[in-house]
Amino acid sequence: MSAEDIARQEDIHEEHYLDHEEILDEYRRRQMIEHLTGPMVSLFLHAVVVVACAVLMVGREVNLDEGVEFDTKELEVKPLDPETMEELDEIEEEVIEEIVPTVEKPTITPQQMDMETPDFSDANAVAEMELDFTMDIKMTTSPITLPGLYSSRTKEGREKALRTYGGPGAAASERAVLKALRWLQEHQEEDGSWSPRSNPEAMSGMALLAFLAHGETPSSEEFGATVQRGIQWLANRMLNKKGLESKGYSHGIATYALCEAYALTKIPFVKPAMEKGLERMISGQQPKGGFDYNYAKGKRWDLSVAAWQLQAMKAGYAAGATTPGLEDAMEKGINYLKNVAYANGKFGYTKAGVGSPAMQGAGTLCLQLLGAGKSTEAKSCVDGFLAAYEPDWETGGKHASYNWYYCTQAIFHGGSRDFKRWNASFAPMLIKHQQNDGHWVNPGVEPGNLGNYAPFKATALNALSLQVYYRYLPTYKVSATQSAAKTEDVFGFEGEEF
């Protein structure tokens, strides 16, 4: 091969070498581009996002001083369905029944102790009254499972009692009670009282008793606010008004209502009002166990006044009151009824054996409440006078509701046979004469003739009479000791109105 051929071969190899180098350089460039494409795209997108955020954040300056309006709406809390509530109530009652034994005088369990407060001075109690006590109500679920005296006031208890004792007219009777309670609710004053121009303490106490007898408390759906205002007004009145202490009727009825209110709710600051009422009664009781107007200690005694004191004492005892001398006062009350007010088969108003139908019922009922319902005096009145007494609207008179309030209860607790006879005529008669709006006026009473409190008294007392089936259990027993212890106006309101 010539030198020229060799040179030409070397030129060809060099060209091929250069071609390969160019190809490799191009390959490396493309590889680099492919590897950098992803990061560059990502970097670009991130840059776009950053720029966009900066644009959004750089806007017009927000004036922090400008008012901002908010439209707030209260979330509706839907109640549990009735079946679930009933199941929860049953579970609660079963648990409480295991803890709280059924005793005649309620024993406050550890569950209740955290709701109690130390004894208040009057000053502290008054200051406490200025507060809204809905907090206390929320703390108080079921203070006791309503043992003994109040166990039939629950919804289930009322229904069972109406079936057992109410007879065929039970449904109509309960409708009449609800109409009466709604009328009382509509006619309550804004401050929580009733009958502001005439005897408001007594009328407010009677009205409140009617709601409590139906098992209504401040937590009740329909009547809760009414009961709450009534309790608060009455407690304030008891603690702040010394004049209430001197009026036997008003003081007794008001204390009675406060005792039941405390028993059913255990609202702490109701206790000092209840205790103050009971203390005044005990100090105002006569040596032989009776009572008189203004708690006088003279020779005169008055069964009509005494009956409210004795009912209140039993209610306080059932509420767990620890007022010194309470049990002794109840013992003295039994002695007064049996040995002072009773003679010849009848109880007297201010003289033994001489009294109206109301006094026969009052004396008998108080003995039943105090644990002496099987005594000779109580039994003889039930089997004698009360067994023959017939309720009649036309001849009932202006004090009819008062007579029937006591007689209905005494007959009910005296025996089922007599009560069936009584109730067969009494309940339909009372329901027939109820006004369309729910209130009553006693027979023979002209508008304004008996004072402004007439419809309040008649309505509350007649409602209580129709609630007799479930207001109290039909058996009373205070203690073994008490069970074994041995010029007349027909109504007894001459001299003082209550």
Side-chain angles (χ1 to χ4, degrees), residues 219-299:
S219 62
S220 298
E221 181 177 357
E222 181 175 1
F223 301 114
T226 299
V227 175
Q228 175 176 331
R229 290 196 301 270
I231 293 174
Q232 189 164 17
W233 184 87
L234 206 57
N236 271 319
R237 200 76 165 177
M238 181 64 72
L239 289 168
N240 296 335
K241 187 181 178 185
K242 293 183 178 180
L244 180 61
E245 297 181 356
S246 65
K247 298 175 68 174
Y249 280 116
S250 295
H251 187 84
I253 296 168
T255 302
Y256 189 8
L258 288 170
C259 289
E260 286 208 356
Y262 184 67
L264 268 67
T265 69
K266 290 296 184 214
I267 297 173
F269 64 72
V270 177
K271 184 179 181 183
M274 173 187 73
E275 298 282 3
K276 180 177 179 179
L278 292 171
E279 287 169 4
R280 181 67 185 95
M281 287 179 185
I282 294 168
S283 66
Q285 190 175 29
Q286 296 174 339
K288 292 185 178 181
F291 293 87
D292 195 11
Y293 295 140
N294 302 322
Y295 296 104
K297 295 290 187 70
K299 292 182 179 181

Coordinates of all heavy atoms in Angstrom, one line a residue, residues 219-299:
S219 N -87.7 21.8 87.4 CA -87.2 21.1 86.1 C -88.3 20.6 85.3 O -88.1 20.0 84.2 CB -86.3 20.0 86.5 OG -86.9 19.0 87.2
S220 N -89.6 20.8 85.7 CA -90.7 20.3 84.9 C -90.8 21.0 83.6 O -90.6 22.3 83.5 CB -92.0 20.4 85.7 OG -92.0 19.6 86.8
E221 N -91.2 20.4 82.5 CA -91.3 21.0 81.2 C -92.3 22.1 81.1 O -92.0 23.2 80.7 CB -91.6 19.9 80.1 CG -91.6 20.4 78.7 CD -91.8 19.4 77.7 OE1 -91.9 18.2 78.1 OE2 -91.9 19.7 76.5
E222 N -93.6 21.8 81.5 CA -94.6 22.8 81.4 C -94.7 23.8 82.5 O -94.9 25.0 82.3 CB -96.0 22.1 81.2 CG -97.1 23.0 81.0 CD -98.5 22.3 80.7 OE1 -98.5 21.1 80.7 OE2 -99.5 23.0 80.6
F223 N -94.5 23.3 83.7 CA -94.8 24.2 84.9 C -93.5 24.6 85.6 O -93.6 25.2 86.7 CB -95.8 23.5 85.8 CG -97.1 23.2 85.2 CD1 -97.5 21.8 85.1 CD2 -97.9 24.2 84.8 CE1 -98.7 21.5 84.5 CE2 -99.2 23.9 84.3 CZ -99.6 22.6 84.1
G224 N -92.3 24.2 85.1 CA -91.1 24.4 85.9 C -90.9 25.9 86.2 O -90.5 26.2 87.4
A225 N -91.0 26.8 85.3 CA -90.8 28.2 85.6 C -91.7 28.7 86.6 O -91.4 29.5 87.5 CB -90.8 29.0 84.3
T226 N -93.0 28.3 86.6 CA -94.0 28.7 87.5 C -93.6 28.2 88.9 O -93.7 29.0 89.9 CB -95.4 28.1 87.1 OG1 -95.7 28.6 85.8 CG2 -96.4 28.5 88.1
V227 N -93.2 27.0 89.1 CA -92.9 26.5 90.4 C -91.6 27.2 90.9 O -91.5 27.5 92.1 CB -92.6 24.9 90.3 CG1 -92.1 24.4 91.6 CG2 -93.9 24.2 89.9
Q228 N -90.6 27.4 90.0 CA -89.4 28.0 90.4 C -89.7 29.4 91.0 O -89.2 29.8 92.1 CB -88.5 28.2 89.2 CG -87.2 29.0 89.6 CD -86.2 29.0 88.4 OE1 -86.2 28.0 87.6 NE2 -85.4 30.0 88.3
R229 N -90.5 30.2 90.3 CA -90.8 31.6 90.8 C -91.6 31.5 92.1 O -91.4 32.3 93.0 CB -91.6 32.4 89.7 CG -90.8 32.7 88.5 CD -91.5 33.8 87.7 NE -92.8 33.4 87.2 CZ -93.0 32.8 86.1 NH1 -92.0 32.5 85.3 NH2 -94.2 32.4 85.7
G230 N -92.5 30.6 92.2 CA -93.3 30.4 93.4 C -92.5 30.1 94.6 O -92.6 30.7 95.7
I231 N -91.5 29.1 94.5 CA -90.7 28.8 95.6 C -89.8 29.9 96.0 O -89.6 30.2 97.2 CB -89.8 27.6 95.2 CG1 -90.6 26.3 95.0 CG2 -88.7 27.3 96.2 CD1 -89.9 25.1 94.4
Q232 N -89.2 30.6 95.0 CA -88.3 31.7 95.3 C -89.0 32.9 96.0 O -88.5 33.4 97.0 CB -87.6 32.2 94.0 CG -86.5 33.2 94.3 CD -85.6 33.4 93.1 OE1 -86.0 33.1 92.0 NE2 -84.4 33.9 93.3
W233 N -90.2 33.2 95.5 CA -91.0 34.3 96.2 C -91.3 33.9 97.6 O -91.2 34.7 98.6 CB -92.2 34.6 95.4 CG -93.0 35.8 96.0 CD1 -92.8 37.1 95.7 CD2 -94.0 35.7 97.0 NE1 -93.7 37.9 96.4 CE2 -94.4 37.0 97.3 CE3 -94.7 34.7 97.7 CZ2 -95.4 37.4 98.2 CZ3 -95.7 35.0 98.6 CH2 -96.0 36.3 98.8
L234 N -91.8 32.7 97.8 CA -92.2 32.3 99.1 C -91.1 32.1 100.1 O -91.2 32.5 101.3 CB -93.0 30.9 99.0 CG -94.0 30.6 100.1 CD1 -95.1 31.7 100.2 CD2 -94.7 29.2 99.8
A235 N -89.9 31.6 99.6 CA -88.7 31.6 100.5 C -88.2 33.0 100.9 O -87.9 33.2 102.0 CB -87.6 30.8 99.8
N236 N -88.2 33.9 99.9 CA -87.8 35.2 100.2 C -88.8 35.9 101.3 O -88.3 36.5 102.2 CB -87.9 36.1 99.0 CG -86.6 36.1 98.2 OD1 -85.5 36.2 98.8 ND2 -86.7 36.0 96.9
R237 N -90.1 35.6 101.1 CA -91.0 36.2 102.0 C -90.8 35.6 103.4 O -90.9 36.4 104.4 CB -92.4 35.8 101.5 CG -93.6 36.7 102.0 CD -93.6 38.0 101.3 NE -94.8 38.7 101.6 CZ -95.1 39.9 101.1 NH1 -94.2 40.5 100.4 NH2 -96.2 40.5 101.4
M238 N -90.6 34.4 103.5 CA -90.4 33.7 104.8 C -89.2 34.3 105.5 O -89.2 34.6 106.7 CB -90.3 32.2 104.7 CG -90.1 31.5 106.0 SD -91.5 31.6 107.1 CE -92.7 30.6 106.3
L239 N -88.1 34.5 104.8 CA -86.8 35.0 105.4 C -86.8 36.5 105.6 O -86.1 36.9 106.5 CB -85.7 34.6 104.5 CG -85.4 33.1 104.4 CD1 -84.4 32.8 103.3 CD2 -84.8 32.6 105.7
N240 N -87.6 37.2 104.9 CA -87.4 38.7 104.9 C -88.6 39.4 105.6 O -88.4 40.6 106.0 CB -87.3 39.3 103.5 CG -86.1 38.8 102.8 OD1 -85.1 38.4 103.4 ND2 -86.1 38.8 101.5
K241 N -89.7 38.8 105.8 CA -90.9 39.5 106.4 C -91.2 38.9 107.7 O -91.8 37.8 107.8 CB -92.1 39.3 105.4 CG -93.3 40.2 105.9 CD -94.4 40.0 105.0 CE -95.6 40.8 105.5 NZ -96.8 40.6 104.7
K242 N -90.9 39.6 108.8 CA -91.2 39.2 110.1 C -92.6 39.1 110.4 O -93.1 38.3 111.2 CB -90.5 40.1 111.1 CG -88.9 40.0 111.1 CD -88.3 40.9 112.2 CE -86.8 40.7 112.1 NZ -86.2 41.6 113.2
G243 N -93.4 39.9 109.7 CA -94.9 39.9 110.0 C -95.5 38.6 109.7 O -96.6 38.2 110.2
L244 N -94.9 37.8 108.8 CA -95.5 36.5 108.4 C -95.5 35.6 109.6 O -96.4 34.7 109.7 CB -94.7 35.9 107.3 CG -95.1 34.5 106.7 CD1 -96.5 34.6 106.2 CD2 -94.2 34.0 105.7
E245 N -94.6 35.7 110.5 CA -94.5 34.8 111.6 C -95.7 34.9 112.6 O -96.0 33.9 113.2 CB -93.2 35.1 112.4 CG -91.9 34.9 111.6 CD -90.7 35.1 112.4 OE1 -90.8 35.6 113.6 OE2 -89.6 34.9 111.9
S246 N -96.3 36.0 112.6 CA -97.4 36.2 113.6 C -98.7 35.8 113.1 O -99.7 35.6 113.9 CB -97.4 37.7 114.0 OG -97.8 38.5 112.9
K247 N -98.9 35.5 111.8 CA -100.2 35.1 111.3 C -100.2 33.6 111.2 O -99.6 33.0 110.3 CB -100.4 35.8 109.9 CG -100.4 37.3 110.0 CD -100.5 37.9 108.6 CE -101.8 37.6 108.0 NZ -102.0 38.3 106.7
G248 N -101.0 33.0 112.0 CA -101.0 31.6 112.1 C -101.4 30.9 110.8 O -100.7 29.9 110.4
Y249 N -102.4 31.3 110.2 CA -102.8 30.6 108.9 C -101.8 30.8 107.8 O -101.3 29.8 107.3 CB -104.2 31.2 108.4 CG -105.4 30.7 109.1 CD1 -106.2 31.5 109.9 CD2 -105.8 29.4 109.0 CE1 -107.3 31.1 110.5 CE2 -106.9 28.9 109.6 CZ -107.7 29.7 110.3 OH -108.8 29.2 111.0
S250 N -101.4 32.0 107.5 CA -100.5 32.3 106.4 C -99.1 31.6 106.7 O -98.6 31.0 105.8 CB -100.3 33.8 106.3 OG -101.5 34.4 105.9
H251 N -98.6 31.7 107.9 CA -97.4 31.1 108.2 C -97.4 29.6 108.1 O -96.5 29.0 107.6 CB -96.9 31.5 109.7 CG -95.5 31.1 110.0 ND1 -94.4 31.9 109.7 CD2 -95.1 30.0 110.6 CE1 -93.4 31.2 110.1 NE2 -93.7 30.1 110.7
G252 N -98.5 29.0 108.6 CA -98.6 27.6 108.5 C -98.6 27.1 107.1 O -98.0 26.1 106.7
I253 N -99.5 27.7 106.2 CA -99.6 27.3 104.9 C -98.3 27.5 104.1 O -97.9 26.6 103.3 CB -100.8 28.0 104.2 CG1 -102.1 27.6 104.9 CG2 -100.9 27.7 102.7 CD1 -103.3 28.5 104.5
A254 N -97.7 28.7 104.3 CA -96.4 29.0 103.6 C -95.3 28.0 104.0 O -94.6 27.5 103.1 CB -96.0 30.4 103.9
T255 N -95.2 27.7 105.3 CA -94.2 26.7 105.7 C -94.5 25.3 105.2 O -93.6 24.6 104.8 CB -94.2 26.6 107.3 OG1 -93.9 27.9 107.8 CG2 -93.1 25.7 107.8
Y256 N -95.8 24.9 105.1 CA -96.2 23.6 104.5 C -95.7 23.5 103.1 O -95.0 22.5 102.7 CB -97.7 23.6 104.6 CG -98.3 22.2 104.2 CD1 -97.5 21.1 104.0 CD2 -99.7 22.1 104.1 CE1 -98.1 19.9 103.7 CE2 -100.3 20.9 103.8 CZ -99.5 19.8 103.6 OH -100.1 18.6 103.3
A257 N -95.9 24.6 102.3 CA -95.5 24.6 100.9 C -93.9 24.5 100.8 O -93.4 23.8 100.0 CB -96.0 25.8 100.2
L258 N -93.2 25.2 101.6 CA -91.8 25.2 101.6 C -91.2 23.9 102.0 O -90.2 23.4 101.5 CB -91.2 26.3 102.5 CG -91.4 27.8 102.0 CD1 -91.0 28.8 103.1 CD2 -90.5 28.0 100.7
C259 N -91.8 23.2 103.0 CA -91.4 21.9 103.4 C -91.5 20.9 102.2 O -90.6 20.1 101.9 CB -92.2 21.4 104.6 SG -91.8 22.2 106.1
E260 N -92.6 20.9 101.5 CA -92.8 20.0 100.4 C -91.9 20.4 99.3 O -91.3 19.5 98.6 CB -94.3 20.0 99.9 CG -95.2 19.3 100.8 CD -96.4 18.7 100.1 OE1 -96.6 19.0 98.9 OE2 -97.2 18.1 100.7
A261 N -91.6 21.7 99.1 CA -90.7 22.1 98.0 C -89.3 21.6 98.3 O -88.6 21.1 97.3 CB -90.7 23.6 97.9
Y262 N -88.9 21.7 99.5 CA -87.6 21.2 99.9 C -87.5 19.7 99.7 O -86.5 19.1 99.2 CB -87.2 21.6 101.3 CG -85.7 21.2 101.6 CD1 -84.7 21.8 101.0 CD2 -85.5 20.2 102.6 CE1 -83.4 21.4 101.3 CE2 -84.2 19.8 102.9 CZ -83.1 20.5 102.2 OH -81.8 20.1 102.5
A263 N -88.5 19.0 100.1 CA -88.5 17.5 100.0 C -88.4 17.1 98.5 O -87.7 16.1 98.2 CB -89.8 16.9 100.6
L264 N -89.1 17.8 97.6 CA -89.1 17.3 96.2 C -87.9 17.8 95.4 O -87.6 17.3 94.4 CB -90.4 17.8 95.6 CG -91.6 16.8 95.6 CD1 -92.1 16.6 97.0 CD2 -92.7 17.3 94.7
T265 N -87.2 18.9 95.9 CA -86.2 19.5 95.1 C -84.8 19.5 95.7 O -83.8 19.4 95.0 CB -86.5 21.0 94.7 OG1 -86.4 21.8 95.9 CG2 -87.9 21.1 94.1
K266 N -84.7 19.6 97.1 CA -83.5 19.7 97.8 C -82.7 20.9 97.3 O -81.4 20.9 97.4 CB -82.6 18.4 97.7 CG -83.2 17.2 98.4 CD -83.3 17.5 99.9 CE -83.8 16.3 100.7 NZ -84.5 16.5 101.8
I267 N -83.3 21.9 96.9 CA -82.7 23.2 96.6 C -82.1 23.7 97.9 O -82.8 24.0 98.8 CB -83.6 24.2 95.9 CG1 -84.1 23.7 94.6 CG2 -82.9 25.6 95.7 CD1 -85.2 24.5 94.0
P268 N -80.8 23.9 98.0 CA -80.2 24.2 99.3 C -80.8 25.4 100.1 O -81.0 25.3 101.3 CB -78.7 24.5 99.0 CG -78.5 23.7 97.7 CD -79.8 23.8 96.9
F269 N -81.0 26.5 99.4 CA -81.4 27.7 100.2 C -82.9 27.7 100.5 O -83.4 28.6 101.1 CB -80.9 29.0 99.6 CG -81.6 29.3 98.2 CD1 -82.9 29.7 98.1 CD2 -80.8 29.2 97.1 CE1 -83.4 29.9 96.9 CE2 -81.3 29.5 95.9 CZ -82.6 29.9 95.7
V270 N -83.6 26.7 100.1 CA -85.0 26.6 100.6 C -85.0 26.1 102.1 O -85.9 26.3 102.8 CB -85.8 25.6 99.7 CG1 -87.2 25.4 100.2 CG2 -85.9 26.2 98.3
K271 N -83.9 25.4 102.4 CA -83.9 24.8 103.8 C -84.0 25.8 104.9 O -84.7 25.7 105.8 CB -82.6 24.0 103.9 CG -82.5 23.2 105.3 CD -81.3 22.4 105.4 CE -81.3 21.7 106.7 NZ -80.0 20.9 106.9
P272 N -83.2 27.0 104.8 CA -83.3 27.9 105.9 C -84.7 28.5 106.0 O -85.1 28.9 107.1 CB -82.2 29.0 105.6 CG -81.9 28.8 104.2 CD -82.1 27.3 103.9
A273 N -85.4 28.7 104.9 CA -86.7 29.2 104.9 C -87.7 28.2 105.6 O -88.5 28.6 106.4 CB -87.2 29.6 103.5
M274 N -87.5 27.0 105.2 CA -88.3 25.9 105.8 C -88.0 25.8 107.4 O -89.0 25.7 108.2 CB -87.9 24.6 105.2 CG -88.6 23.3 105.9 SD -88.0 21.8 105.2 CE -86.3 21.7 105.8
E275 N -86.8 25.8 107.7 CA -86.4 25.7 109.1 C -86.9 26.9 109.9 O -87.4 26.8 111.1 CB -84.9 25.7 109.3 CG -84.2 24.4 108.6 CD -84.4 23.2 109.4 OE1 -85.0 23.2 110.5 OE2 -83.8 22.1 109.0
K276 N -86.9 28.1 109.4 CA -87.4 29.3 110.1 C -88.9 29.1 110.3 O -89.4 29.4 111.4 CB -87.1 30.6 109.3 CG -87.6 31.8 109.9 CD -87.3 33.1 109.2 CE -87.8 34.3 109.9 NZ -87.5 35.6 109.2
G277 N -89.6 28.6 109.3 CA -91.0 28.4 109.5 C -91.3 27.4 110.6 O -92.2 27.6 111.4
L278 N -90.6 26.3 110.6 CA -90.8 25.3 111.6 C -90.5 25.8 113.0 O -91.2 25.4 114.0 CB -90.0 24.0 111.2 CG -90.5 23.3 110.0 CD1 -89.5 22.2 109.6 CD2 -91.9 22.7 110.2
E279 N -89.4 26.5 113.1 CA -89.0 27.0 114.4 C -90.1 27.9 115.0 O -90.3 27.8 116.2 CB -87.7 27.8 114.2 CG -86.5 27.0 114.0 CD -85.3 27.8 113.6 OE1 -85.4 29.0 113.6 OE2 -84.2 27.2 113.3
R280 N -90.7 28.8 114.2 CA -91.7 29.7 114.7 C -92.9 28.8 115.2 O -93.5 29.2 116.2 CB -92.2 30.7 113.6 CG -93.2 31.6 114.1 CD -92.6 32.6 115.2 NE -93.6 33.4 115.8 CZ -94.3 33.2 116.9 NH1 -94.1 32.0 117.5 NH2 -95.2 34.1 117.4
M281 N -93.3 27.8 114.5 CA -94.4 27.0 114.9 C -94.1 26.3 116.2 O -95.0 26.3 117.1 CB -94.6 25.9 113.8 CG -95.2 26.3 112.5 SD -95.4 24.9 111.4 CE -96.0 25.7 110.0
I282 N -92.9 25.7 116.3 CA -92.6 25.0 117.5 C -92.6 26.0 118.7 O -93.1 25.6 119.8 CB -91.2 24.3 117.4 CG1 -91.3 23.2 116.3 CG2 -90.7 23.7 118.7 CD1 -90.0 22.7 115.9
S283 N -92.1 27.1 118.6 CA -92.0 28.1 119.7 C -93.4 28.6 120.0 O -93.7 29.1 121.1 CB -91.1 29.3 119.4 OG -91.6 30.0 118.3
G284 N -94.3 28.6 119.0 CA -95.7 29.2 119.2 C -96.7 28.1 119.6 O -97.9 28.5 119.7
Q285 N -96.3 26.9 119.7 CA -97.2 25.8 120.1 C -97.6 26.0 121.6 O -96.8 26.3 122.4 CB -96.6 24.5 119.9 CG -97.6 23.3 120.0 CD -97.0 22.0 119.7 OE1 -95.8 21.8 119.8 NE2 -97.8 21.1 119.2
Q286 N -98.9 25.8 121.9 CA -99.3 25.9 123.3 C -98.9 24.7 124.1 O -98.6 23.6 123.5 CB -100.9 26.0 123.3 CG -101.4 27.3 122.6 CD -102.9 27.3 122.5 OE1 -103.5 26.3 122.6 NE2 -103.4 28.5 122.3
P287 N -98.8 24.8 125.4 CA -98.4 23.7 126.2 C -99.1 22.3 126.0 O -98.5 21.3 126.0 CB -98.6 24.2 127.6 CG -98.5 25.6 127.5 CD -99.1 26.0 126.2
K288 N -100.4 22.4 125.7 CA -101.2 21.2 125.4 C -101.1 20.7 124.0 O -101.8 19.8 123.6 CB -102.6 21.4 125.9 CG -102.7 21.5 127.4 CD -104.2 21.6 127.9 CE -104.3 21.7 129.4 NZ -105.7 21.8 129.8
G289 N -100.4 21.4 123.2 CA -100.2 21.0 121.8 C -101.0 21.7 120.7 O -100.8 21.5 119.5
G290 N -101.9 22.7 121.1 CA -102.7 23.4 120.2 C -102.1 24.6 119.7 O -100.9 25.0 120.0
F291 N -102.8 25.4 118.9 CA -102.3 26.7 118.3 C -103.5 27.6 118.3 O -104.7 27.2 118.3 CB -101.8 26.5 116.9 CG -100.5 25.7 116.8 CD1 -100.6 24.3 116.7 CD2 -99.3 26.3 116.9 CE1 -99.4 23.5 116.6 CE2 -98.1 25.5 116.8 CZ -98.2 24.2 116.7
D292 N -103.2 28.9 118.2 CA -104.2 29.9 118.1 C -103.8 31.0 117.1 O -102.6 31.0 116.6 CB -104.5 30.6 119.5 CG -105.8 31.4 119.5 OD1 -106.6 31.3 118.6 OD2 -106.0 32.1 120.5
Y293 N -104.6 32.0 116.8 CA -104.3 33.1 116.0 C -103.0 33.7 116.6 O -102.8 33.9 117.8 CB -105.4 34.2 116.0 CG -106.7 33.8 115.4 CD1 -107.9 34.2 116.0 CD2 -106.7 33.0 114.3 CE1 -109.1 33.8 115.4 CE2 -107.9 32.7 113.7 CZ -109.1 33.1 114.3 OH -110.3 32.7 113.7
N294 N -102.1 34.1 115.7 CA -100.9 34.9 116.0 C -100.0 34.1 117.0 O -99.2 34.7 117.8 CB -101.2 36.3 116.6 CG -102.0 37.1 115.6 OD1 -101.8 37.0 114.4 ND2 -103.0 37.8 116.1
Y295 N -100.2 32.8 117.1 CA -99.5 32.0 118.0 C -99.6 32.4 119.5 O -98.7 32.3 120.3 CB -98.0 31.9 117.6 CG -97.8 31.2 116.3 CD1 -97.6 32.0 115.1 CD2 -98.0 29.9 116.1 CE1 -97.4 31.4 113.9 CE2 -97.8 29.3 114.9 CZ -97.6 30.1 113.8 OH -97.5 29.5 112.5
A296 N -100.8 32.8 119.8 CA -101.1 33.2 121.2 C -101.0 32.0 122.1 O -101.4 30.9 121.7 CB -102.4 33.9 121.3
K297 N -100.6 32.2 123.4 CA -100.5 31.1 124.3 C -101.6 31.1 125.4 O -101.4 30.6 126.4 CB -99.1 31.2 125.0 CG -97.9 31.0 124.1 CD -97.8 29.6 123.6 CE -96.6 29.3 122.8 NZ -95.4 29.4 123.6
G298 N -102.7 31.8 125.1 CA -103.8 31.9 126.1 C -104.6 30.6 126.1 O -104.2 29.5 125.7
K299 N -105.8 30.7 126.7 CA -106.7 29.6 126.9 C -107.3 29.1 125.5 O -107.7 28.0 125.4 CB -107.8 29.9 127.9 CG -107.2 30.0 129.3 CD -108.4 30.3 130.3 CE -107.9 30.4 131.7 NZ -109.0 30.6 132.7

